[in-house]
Amino acid sequence: MPIEEILFKQGLLTSDQLAAIKLESINSGQSVESLLLQHNLIPLDKITQAKAQILSVPFVKVEDKAIAADILNLIPEPAARRYKIIPFEKSNGELLVAMVDPLDIQIIQFIEKRSGMRVKPFLALESDILKAISDQYAQNLTTDVTSALKEVQSVEPAKEQSEGLEVIREAPVTNIVNQLLEYAVKARASDIHIEPEEDRIRIRYRIDGILQEKILLPRGVHGALVSRIKILAVLKIDEKRLPQDGRFTFTYDSHEVDLRISVIPTVFGEKVVMRLLPKSTVAPTLLELGLRGTSFKALEGQLLRTHGIILLCGPTGSGKTTTLYSILTKVSTTKVNVVTVEDPVEYQISGVNQVQVNPGVGLTFASALRSFLRQDPNIIMVGEVRDTETAELAIQAALTGHQVFSTVHTNSASGAAPRLLDMGVEPFLLTSALNTTVGQRVVRKTCPHCKIQFSPPPEVLEGIKQVLGKIISSQSGISKFYKGTGCNFCNHTGYLGRIGIFEVLVITDQINKLILEHASSNAIEKVAAESGMITMKQDGYLKVLEGVTTLEEVLRVAQD
């Protein structure tokens, strides 16, 4: 059956379109496939799927697949690029291979000869295969880890058990750990997850806030890999039943990175998460973070006050600590004494006295805060208000003439006061001490290298108009939208880097009255919005209209 007939049967072409395309093909001599693409009638992936049906081969998308290192190693990268092929799975003694031309017998025979396995060809888009090759081979992660794996697997299990640490310290496993860390630094990753499964180990990287699966390792290397990391972090190698935490420093190409290590026991073995904290990083300014307009002016005005509490609100990973550091960098001068208690100290700021909590010896947020009051401070930063004792001490510090900065886990700026009241803080003390609450989230920025303009559907424009209301005065202000198409700079994601979206809620007499009445966060937000506060969602939408980010990103983090 011709390709156009299959597309017609699938309901992708109307009878009029079918007739018109057939006629144009006869008159122009061009193929139906090229005409369909030329007139933007059918997307390329739908045409390719129909072609797969004609050829009686399965269609596959390999772009987002994590491919095990031992499978990729069966076909070298130059051959994969030249023939536009990529192996992606082993199944029942067969090697599953994505190809642009699944009927090319010569290539199939070449793969079978090289791999020693029977090949099952799949049809895939050329762009999809090339992107997968770039992701899997070009990063050098797979190639380097694979060569190290061969050496690891050549070590006999009996020898490994008897010699223990000596085998773990050998170069192969050290190389694997180094390659994983080097790639994390190059890819600007904030975390590495090493997750054991029943028959493999999954390695994922958090890049620009999103976890991406990058490599799969054989299950047999798990013990040596975890033990190597434990040695670096000075953890107990033989303790596999309890969670452990540690840290070490890694240097790569003049980049010095602090790593916080967390190990927890799971059903299939120990899972390791490594948080990367670059030492050389300088805290960005508030403007660089994304604070602007009335929100920036409101917060800047509050920073001039000499006493009271400013709270940053948001879930884990919303950038609260980075904003705190930006504020501290701004307010820290030779004329003030700034002390902080953190868990852990992520950036080191010149001129600021930073203390790291150590619950093992009794140094908690609360005990440190008590001691700070005898250190003649002007400004106190508490990493997080976690309990009633810390909240009460922070309020006492604010009421005795100190400026206090801290964070609290709430969804919005308006939720901070009700959260502190839930902790047992007296309402009359809270209203006397609380100056400002700042809600924030982090969104990915549209890649500037592959950014294109497009027109959104009318219902999307209508939704934006409703959210922004009076902030946008005319329809012309919401006509341009941008998105990233994906390129080598952004690893084909369409996003490069991150920026914050904020809401700054200044505590007024009206809001103090609501706090005394134990009003809900919704009631507080409503009054604040009427007073001119720009909400996080509105701030996000304004950044969408500026082309800084996309609507999908704002809705991902700020949708109620």
Side-chain angles (χ1 to χ4, degrees), residues 468-489:
L468 292 178
K470 297 174 185 174
I471 297 171
I472 290 291
S473 55
S474 67
Q475 176 69 33
S476 61
I478 56 171
S479 58
K480 293 181 180 178
F481 279 71
Y482 297 89
K483 64 180 177 183
T485 55
C487 63
N488 290 332
F489 288 97

mmCIF file with all atom_site columns, all heavy atoms in Angstrom, residues 468-489:
data_model
loop_
_atom_site.group_PDB
_atom_site.id
_atom_site.type_symbol
_atom_site.label_atom_id
_atom_site.label_alt_id
_atom_site.label_comp_id
_atom_site.label_asym_id
_atom_site.label_entity_id
_atom_site.label_seq_id
_atom_site.pdbx_PDB_ins_code
_atom_site.Cartn_x
_atom_site.Cartn_y
_atom_site.Cartn_z
_atom_site.occupancy
_atom_site.B_iso_or_equiv
_atom_site.pdbx_formal_charge
_atom_site.auth_seq_id
_atom_site.auth_comp_id
_atom_site.auth_asym_id
_atom_site.auth_atom_id
_atom_site.pdbx_PDB_model_num
ATOM 1   N N   . LEU A 1 468 ? -2.272 38.019 33.945 1.00 0.00 ? 468 LEU A N   1
ATOM 2   C CA  . LEU A 1 468 ? -1.549 39.290 34.076 1.00 0.00 ? 468 LEU A CA  1
ATOM 3   C C   . LEU A 1 468 ? -2.468 40.473 34.356 1.00 0.00 ? 468 LEU A C   1
ATOM 4   O O   . LEU A 1 468 ? -2.054 41.445 34.989 1.00 0.00 ? 468 LEU A O   1
ATOM 5   C CB  . LEU A 1 468 ? -0.718 39.557 32.815 1.00 0.00 ? 468 LEU A CB  1
ATOM 6   C CG  . LEU A 1 468 ? 0.465  38.607 32.588 1.00 0.00 ? 468 LEU A CG  1
ATOM 7   C CD1 . LEU A 1 468 ? 1.168  38.937 31.287 1.00 0.00 ? 468 LEU A CD1 1
ATOM 8   C CD2 . LEU A 1 468 ? 1.453  38.683 33.744 1.00 0.00 ? 468 LEU A CD2 1
ATOM 9   N N   . GLY A 1 469 ? -3.715 40.389 33.888 1.00 0.00 ? 469 GLY A N   1
ATOM 10  C CA  . GLY A 1 469 ? -4.675 41.453 34.173 1.00 0.00 ? 469 GLY A CA  1
ATOM 11  C C   . GLY A 1 469 ? -4.197 42.823 33.759 1.00 0.00 ? 469 GLY A C   1
ATOM 12  O O   . GLY A 1 469 ? -3.834 43.057 32.609 1.00 0.00 ? 469 GLY A O   1
ATOM 13  N N   . LYS A 1 470 ? -4.142 43.749 34.739 1.00 0.00 ? 470 LYS A N   1
ATOM 14  C CA  . LYS A 1 470 ? -3.802 45.148 34.448 1.00 0.00 ? 470 LYS A CA  1
ATOM 15  C C   . LYS A 1 470 ? -2.298 45.354 34.213 1.00 0.00 ? 470 LYS A C   1
ATOM 16  O O   . LYS A 1 470 ? -1.884 46.434 33.790 1.00 0.00 ? 470 LYS A O   1
ATOM 17  C CB  . LYS A 1 470 ? -4.245 46.047 35.606 1.00 0.00 ? 470 LYS A CB  1
ATOM 18  C CG  . LYS A 1 470 ? -5.759 46.061 35.823 1.00 0.00 ? 470 LYS A CG  1
ATOM 19  C CD  . LYS A 1 470 ? -6.098 46.844 37.070 1.00 0.00 ? 470 LYS A CD  1
ATOM 20  C CE  . LYS A 1 470 ? -7.601 46.756 37.362 1.00 0.00 ? 470 LYS A CE  1
ATOM 21  N NZ  . LYS A 1 470 ? -7.940 47.393 38.646 1.00 0.00 ? 470 LYS A NZ  1
ATOM 22  N N   . ILE A 1 471 ? -1.484 44.327 34.515 1.00 0.00 ? 471 ILE A N   1
ATOM 23  C CA  . ILE A 1 471 ? -0.026 44.506 34.381 1.00 0.00 ? 471 ILE A CA  1
ATOM 24  C C   . ILE A 1 471 ? 0.347  44.775 32.925 1.00 0.00 ? 471 ILE A C   1
ATOM 25  O O   . ILE A 1 471 ? 1.219  45.578 32.624 1.00 0.00 ? 471 ILE A O   1
ATOM 26  C CB  . ILE A 1 471 ? 0.720  43.254 34.910 1.00 0.00 ? 471 ILE A CB  1
ATOM 27  C CG1 . ILE A 1 471 ? 0.431  43.079 36.402 1.00 0.00 ? 471 ILE A CG1 1
ATOM 28  C CG2 . ILE A 1 471 ? 2.222  43.377 34.688 1.00 0.00 ? 471 ILE A CG2 1
ATOM 29  C CD1 . ILE A 1 471 ? 0.937  41.780 36.982 1.00 0.00 ? 471 ILE A CD1 1
ATOM 30  N N   . ILE A 1 472 ? -0.331 44.068 31.997 1.00 0.00 ? 472 ILE A N   1
ATOM 31  C CA  . ILE A 1 472 ? -0.107 44.314 30.571 1.00 0.00 ? 472 ILE A CA  1
ATOM 32  C C   . ILE A 1 472 ? -1.252 45.189 30.075 1.00 0.00 ? 472 ILE A C   1
ATOM 33  O O   . ILE A 1 472 ? -2.416 44.801 30.131 1.00 0.00 ? 472 ILE A O   1
ATOM 34  C CB  . ILE A 1 472 ? -0.069 42.985 29.778 1.00 0.00 ? 472 ILE A CB  1
ATOM 35  C CG1 . ILE A 1 472 ? 1.203  42.210 30.125 1.00 0.00 ? 472 ILE A CG1 1
ATOM 36  C CG2 . ILE A 1 472 ? -0.112 43.237 28.280 1.00 0.00 ? 472 ILE A CG2 1
ATOM 37  C CD1 . ILE A 1 472 ? 2.484  42.835 29.614 1.00 0.00 ? 472 ILE A CD1 1
ATOM 38  N N   . SER A 1 473 ? -0.911 46.364 29.589 1.00 0.00 ? 473 SER A N   1
ATOM 39  C CA  . SER A 1 473 ? -1.956 47.328 29.225 1.00 0.00 ? 473 SER A CA  1
ATOM 40  C C   . SER A 1 473 ? -2.575 47.067 27.861 1.00 0.00 ? 473 SER A C   1
ATOM 41  O O   . SER A 1 473 ? -3.719 47.362 27.613 1.00 0.00 ? 473 SER A O   1
ATOM 42  C CB  . SER A 1 473 ? -1.379 48.748 29.268 1.00 0.00 ? 473 SER A CB  1
ATOM 43  O OG  . SER A 1 473 ? -0.226 48.811 28.434 1.00 0.00 ? 473 SER A OG  1
ATOM 44  N N   . SER A 1 474 ? -1.780 46.476 26.926 1.00 0.00 ? 474 SER A N   1
ATOM 45  C CA  . SER A 1 474 ? -2.324 46.303 25.578 1.00 0.00 ? 474 SER A CA  1
ATOM 46  C C   . SER A 1 474 ? -2.084 44.901 25.056 1.00 0.00 ? 474 SER A C   1
ATOM 47  O O   . SER A 1 474 ? -1.202 44.190 25.503 1.00 0.00 ? 474 SER A O   1
ATOM 48  C CB  . SER A 1 474 ? -1.668 47.312 24.623 1.00 0.00 ? 474 SER A CB  1
ATOM 49  O OG  . SER A 1 474 ? -0.295 46.992 24.467 1.00 0.00 ? 474 SER A OG  1
ATOM 50  N N   . GLN A 1 475 ? -2.903 44.517 24.079 1.00 0.00 ? 475 GLN A N   1
ATOM 51  C CA  . GLN A 1 475 ? -2.796 43.201 23.434 1.00 0.00 ? 475 GLN A CA  1
ATOM 52  C C   . GLN A 1 475 ? -1.445 43.039 22.731 1.00 0.00 ? 475 GLN A C   1
ATOM 53  O O   . GLN A 1 475 ? -0.901 41.946 22.657 1.00 0.00 ? 475 GLN A O   1
ATOM 54  C CB  . GLN A 1 475 ? -3.937 43.058 22.418 1.00 0.00 ? 475 GLN A CB  1
ATOM 55  C CG  . GLN A 1 475 ? -3.907 41.785 21.584 1.00 0.00 ? 475 GLN A CG  1
ATOM 56  C CD  . GLN A 1 475 ? -4.197 40.541 22.397 1.00 0.00 ? 475 GLN A CD  1
ATOM 57  O OE1 . GLN A 1 475 ? -4.969 40.605 23.330 1.00 0.00 ? 475 GLN A OE1 1
ATOM 58  N NE2 . GLN A 1 475 ? -3.587 39.424 22.053 1.00 0.00 ? 475 GLN A NE2 1
ATOM 59  N N   . SER A 1 476 ? -0.863 44.166 22.262 1.00 0.00 ? 476 SER A N   1
ATOM 60  C CA  . SER A 1 476 ? 0.408  44.091 21.524 1.00 0.00 ? 476 SER A CA  1
ATOM 61  C C   . SER A 1 476 ? 1.541  43.577 22.393 1.00 0.00 ? 476 SER A C   1
ATOM 62  O O   . SER A 1 476 ? 2.530  43.053 21.899 1.00 0.00 ? 476 SER A O   1
ATOM 63  C CB  . SER A 1 476 ? 0.779  45.470 20.974 1.00 0.00 ? 476 SER A CB  1
ATOM 64  O OG  . SER A 1 476 ? 0.939  46.381 22.058 1.00 0.00 ? 476 SER A OG  1
ATOM 65  N N   . GLY A 1 477 ? 1.378  43.732 23.715 1.00 0.00 ? 477 GLY A N   1
ATOM 66  C CA  . GLY A 1 477 ? 2.437  43.288 24.630 1.00 0.00 ? 477 GLY A CA  1
ATOM 67  C C   . GLY A 1 477 ? 2.543  41.790 24.749 1.00 0.00 ? 477 GLY A C   1
ATOM 68  O O   . GLY A 1 477 ? 3.505  41.285 25.312 1.00 0.00 ? 477 GLY A O   1
ATOM 69  N N   . ILE A 1 478 ? 1.556  41.042 24.252 1.00 0.00 ? 478 ILE A N   1
ATOM 70  C CA  . ILE A 1 478 ? 1.613  39.584 24.410 1.00 0.00 ? 478 ILE A CA  1
ATOM 71  C C   . ILE A 1 478 ? 1.493  38.875 23.061 1.00 0.00 ? 478 ILE A C   1
ATOM 72  O O   . ILE A 1 478 ? 0.790  37.884 22.919 1.00 0.00 ? 478 ILE A O   1
ATOM 73  C CB  . ILE A 1 478 ? 0.526  39.077 25.391 1.00 0.00 ? 478 ILE A CB  1
ATOM 74  C CG1 . ILE A 1 478 ? -0.888 39.518 24.961 1.00 0.00 ? 478 ILE A CG1 1
ATOM 75  C CG2 . ILE A 1 478 ? 0.786  39.524 26.799 1.00 0.00 ? 478 ILE A CG2 1
ATOM 76  C CD1 . ILE A 1 478 ? -1.979 38.865 25.765 1.00 0.00 ? 478 ILE A CD1 1
ATOM 77  N N   . SER A 1 479 ? 2.192  39.401 22.077 1.00 0.00 ? 479 SER A N   1
ATOM 78  C CA  . SER A 1 479 ? 2.107  38.788 20.745 1.00 0.00 ? 479 SER A CA  1
ATOM 79  C C   . SER A 1 479 ? 3.313  37.913 20.415 1.00 0.00 ? 479 SER A C   1
ATOM 80  O O   . SER A 1 479 ? 3.230  37.027 19.577 1.00 0.00 ? 479 SER A O   1
ATOM 81  C CB  . SER A 1 479 ? 1.967  39.874 19.682 1.00 0.00 ? 479 SER A CB  1
ATOM 82  O OG  . SER A 1 479 ? 3.068  40.763 19.771 1.00 0.00 ? 479 SER A OG  1
ATOM 83  N N   . LYS A 1 480 ? 4.471  38.156 21.084 1.00 0.00 ? 480 LYS A N   1
ATOM 84  C CA  . LYS A 1 480 ? 5.690  37.422 20.740 1.00 0.00 ? 480 LYS A CA  1
ATOM 85  C C   . LYS A 1 480 ? 5.987  36.337 21.763 1.00 0.00 ? 480 LYS A C   1
ATOM 86  O O   . LYS A 1 480 ? 6.048  36.607 22.967 1.00 0.00 ? 480 LYS A O   1
ATOM 87  C CB  . LYS A 1 480 ? 6.883  38.387 20.661 1.00 0.00 ? 480 LYS A CB  1
ATOM 88  C CG  . LYS A 1 480 ? 6.795  39.368 19.510 1.00 0.00 ? 480 LYS A CG  1
ATOM 89  C CD  . LYS A 1 480 ? 8.013  40.270 19.485 1.00 0.00 ? 480 LYS A CD  1
ATOM 90  C CE  . LYS A 1 480 ? 7.925  41.263 18.328 1.00 0.00 ? 480 LYS A CE  1
ATOM 91  N NZ  . LYS A 1 480 ? 9.083  42.180 18.301 1.00 0.00 ? 480 LYS A NZ  1
ATOM 92  N N   . PHE A 1 481 ? 6.195  35.129 21.271 1.00 0.00 ? 481 PHE A N   1
ATOM 93  C CA  . PHE A 1 481 ? 6.580  34.007 22.125 1.00 0.00 ? 481 PHE A CA  1
ATOM 94  C C   . PHE A 1 481 ? 7.806  33.336 21.517 1.00 0.00 ? 481 PHE A C   1
ATOM 95  O O   . PHE A 1 481 ? 7.989  33.321 20.300 1.00 0.00 ? 481 PHE A O   1
ATOM 96  C CB  . PHE A 1 481 ? 5.438  32.976 22.218 1.00 0.00 ? 481 PHE A CB  1
ATOM 97  C CG  . PHE A 1 481 ? 4.381  33.363 23.212 1.00 0.00 ? 481 PHE A CG  1
ATOM 98  C CD1 . PHE A 1 481 ? 3.522  34.419 22.961 1.00 0.00 ? 481 PHE A CD1 1
ATOM 99  C CD2 . PHE A 1 481 ? 4.249  32.669 24.400 1.00 0.00 ? 481 PHE A CD2 1
ATOM 100 C CE1 . PHE A 1 481 ? 2.546  34.781 23.874 1.00 0.00 ? 481 PHE A CE1 1
ATOM 101 C CE2 . PHE A 1 481 ? 3.273  33.017 25.324 1.00 0.00 ? 481 PHE A CE2 1
ATOM 102 C CZ  . PHE A 1 481 ? 2.422  34.080 25.054 1.00 0.00 ? 481 PHE A CZ  1
ATOM 103 N N   . TYR A 1 482 ? 8.660  32.770 22.394 1.00 0.00 ? 482 TYR A N   1
ATOM 104 C CA  . TYR A 1 482 ? 9.884  32.135 21.914 1.00 0.00 ? 482 TYR A CA  1
ATOM 105 C C   . TYR A 1 482 ? 10.030 30.740 22.534 1.00 0.00 ? 482 TYR A C   1
ATOM 106 O O   . TYR A 1 482 ? 9.540  30.492 23.639 1.00 0.00 ? 482 TYR A O   1
ATOM 107 C CB  . TYR A 1 482 ? 11.111 32.977 22.280 1.00 0.00 ? 482 TYR A CB  1
ATOM 108 C CG  . TYR A 1 482 ? 11.120 34.341 21.638 1.00 0.00 ? 482 TYR A CG  1
ATOM 109 C CD1 . TYR A 1 482 ? 10.522 35.434 22.262 1.00 0.00 ? 482 TYR A CD1 1
ATOM 110 C CD2 . TYR A 1 482 ? 11.719 34.544 20.397 1.00 0.00 ? 482 TYR A CD2 1
ATOM 111 C CE1 . TYR A 1 482 ? 10.516 36.691 21.674 1.00 0.00 ? 482 TYR A CE1 1
ATOM 112 C CE2 . TYR A 1 482 ? 11.723 35.800 19.793 1.00 0.00 ? 482 TYR A CE2 1
ATOM 113 C CZ  . TYR A 1 482 ? 11.123 36.861 20.442 1.00 0.00 ? 482 TYR A CZ  1
ATOM 114 O OH  . TYR A 1 482 ? 11.116 38.104 19.855 1.00 0.00 ? 482 TYR A OH  1
ATOM 115 N N   . LYS A 1 483 ? 10.719 29.874 21.802 1.00 0.00 ? 483 LYS A N   1
ATOM 116 C CA  . LYS A 1 483 ? 11.050 28.543 22.342 1.00 0.00 ? 483 LYS A CA  1
ATOM 117 C C   . LYS A 1 483 ? 12.368 28.086 21.718 1.00 0.00 ? 483 LYS A C   1
ATOM 118 O O   . LYS A 1 483 ? 12.768 28.550 20.644 1.00 0.00 ? 483 LYS A O   1
ATOM 119 C CB  . LYS A 1 483 ? 9.939  27.536 22.023 1.00 0.00 ? 483 LYS A CB  1
ATOM 120 C CG  . LYS A 1 483 ? 9.741  27.262 20.538 1.00 0.00 ? 483 LYS A CG  1
ATOM 121 C CD  . LYS A 1 483 ? 8.612  26.260 20.309 1.00 0.00 ? 483 LYS A CD  1
ATOM 122 C CE  . LYS A 1 483 ? 8.384  26.050 18.801 1.00 0.00 ? 483 LYS A CE  1
ATOM 123 N NZ  . LYS A 1 483 ? 7.264  25.160 18.524 1.00 0.00 ? 483 LYS A NZ  1
ATOM 124 N N   . GLY A 1 484 ? 13.057 27.181 22.401 1.00 0.00 ? 484 GLY A N   1
ATOM 125 C CA  . GLY A 1 484 ? 14.304 26.629 21.886 1.00 0.00 ? 484 GLY A CA  1
ATOM 126 C C   . GLY A 1 484 ? 14.013 25.376 21.069 1.00 0.00 ? 484 GLY A C   1
ATOM 127 O O   . GLY A 1 484 ? 13.206 24.540 21.475 1.00 0.00 ? 484 GLY A O   1
ATOM 128 N N   . THR A 1 485 ? 14.665 25.255 19.920 1.00 0.00 ? 485 THR A N   1
ATOM 129 C CA  . THR A 1 485 ? 14.435 24.081 19.071 1.00 0.00 ? 485 THR A CA  1
ATOM 130 C C   . THR A 1 485 ? 15.386 22.944 19.412 1.00 0.00 ? 485 THR A C   1
ATOM 131 O O   . THR A 1 485 ? 15.179 21.811 18.997 1.00 0.00 ? 485 THR A O   1
ATOM 132 C CB  . THR A 1 485 ? 14.608 24.445 17.580 1.00 0.00 ? 485 THR A CB  1
ATOM 133 O OG1 . THR A 1 485 ? 15.911 25.033 17.410 1.00 0.00 ? 485 THR A OG1 1
ATOM 134 C CG2 . THR A 1 485 ? 13.545 25.440 17.147 1.00 0.00 ? 485 THR A CG2 1
ATOM 135 N N   . GLY A 1 486 ? 16.458 23.246 20.184 1.00 0.00 ? 486 GLY A N   1
ATOM 136 C CA  . GLY A 1 486 ? 17.438 22.221 20.543 1.00 0.00 ? 486 GLY A CA  1
ATOM 137 C C   . GLY A 1 486 ? 18.689 22.327 19.680 1.00 0.00 ? 486 GLY A C   1
ATOM 138 O O   . GLY A 1 486 ? 18.601 22.365 18.457 1.00 0.00 ? 486 GLY A O   1
ATOM 139 N N   . CYS A 1 487 ? 19.864 22.410 20.320 1.00 0.00 ? 487 CYS A N   1
ATOM 140 C CA  . CYS A 1 487 ? 21.131 22.495 19.583 1.00 0.00 ? 487 CYS A CA  1
ATOM 141 C C   . CYS A 1 487 ? 22.232 21.897 20.452 1.00 0.00 ? 487 CYS A C   1
ATOM 142 O O   . CYS A 1 487 ? 21.974 21.445 21.571 1.00 0.00 ? 487 CYS A O   1
ATOM 143 C CB  . CYS A 1 487 ? 21.446 23.946 19.228 1.00 0.00 ? 487 CYS A CB  1
ATOM 144 S SG  . CYS A 1 487 ? 21.706 25.003 20.688 1.00 0.00 ? 487 CYS A SG  1
ATOM 145 N N   . ASN A 1 488 ? 23.466 21.916 19.953 1.00 0.00 ? 488 ASN A N   1
ATOM 146 C CA  . ASN A 1 488 ? 24.583 21.334 20.700 1.00 0.00 ? 488 ASN A CA  1
ATOM 147 C C   . ASN A 1 488 ? 24.896 22.105 21.977 1.00 0.00 ? 488 ASN A C   1
ATOM 148 O O   . ASN A 1 488 ? 25.377 21.541 22.952 1.00 0.00 ? 488 ASN A O   1
ATOM 149 C CB  . ASN A 1 488 ? 25.843 21.272 19.822 1.00 0.00 ? 488 ASN A CB  1
ATOM 150 C CG  . ASN A 1 488 ? 25.704 20.226 18.724 1.00 0.00 ? 488 ASN A CG  1
ATOM 151 O OD1 . ASN A 1 488 ? 24.984 19.238 18.889 1.00 0.00 ? 488 ASN A OD1 1
ATOM 152 N ND2 . ASN A 1 488 ? 26.371 20.440 17.605 1.00 0.00 ? 488 ASN A ND2 1
ATOM 153 N N   . PHE A 1 489 ? 24.609 23.415 21.981 1.00 0.00 ? 489 PHE A N   1
ATOM 154 C CA  . PHE A 1 489 ? 24.898 24.225 23.164 1.00 0.00 ? 489 PHE A CA  1
ATOM 155 C C   . PHE A 1 489 ? 24.040 23.799 24.354 1.00 0.00 ? 489 PHE A C   1
ATOM 156 O O   . PHE A 1 489 ? 24.501 23.795 25.481 1.00 0.00 ? 489 PHE A O   1
ATOM 157 C CB  . PHE A 1 489 ? 24.652 25.717 22.874 1.00 0.00 ? 489 PHE A CB  1
ATOM 158 C CG  . PHE A 1 489 ? 25.667 26.337 21.966 1.00 0.00 ? 489 PHE A CG  1
ATOM 159 C CD1 . PHE A 1 489 ? 25.428 26.474 20.604 1.00 0.00 ? 489 PHE A CD1 1
ATOM 160 C CD2 . PHE A 1 489 ? 26.886 26.771 22.470 1.00 0.00 ? 489 PHE A CD2 1
ATOM 161 C CE1 . PHE A 1 489 ? 26.365 27.039 19.760 1.00 0.00 ? 489 PHE A CE1 1
ATOM 162 C CE2 . PHE A 1 489 ? 27.837 27.347 21.633 1.00 0.00 ? 489 PHE A CE2 1
ATOM 163 C CZ  . PHE A 1 489 ? 27.582 27.477 20.279 1.00 0.00 ? 489 PHE A CZ  1
#
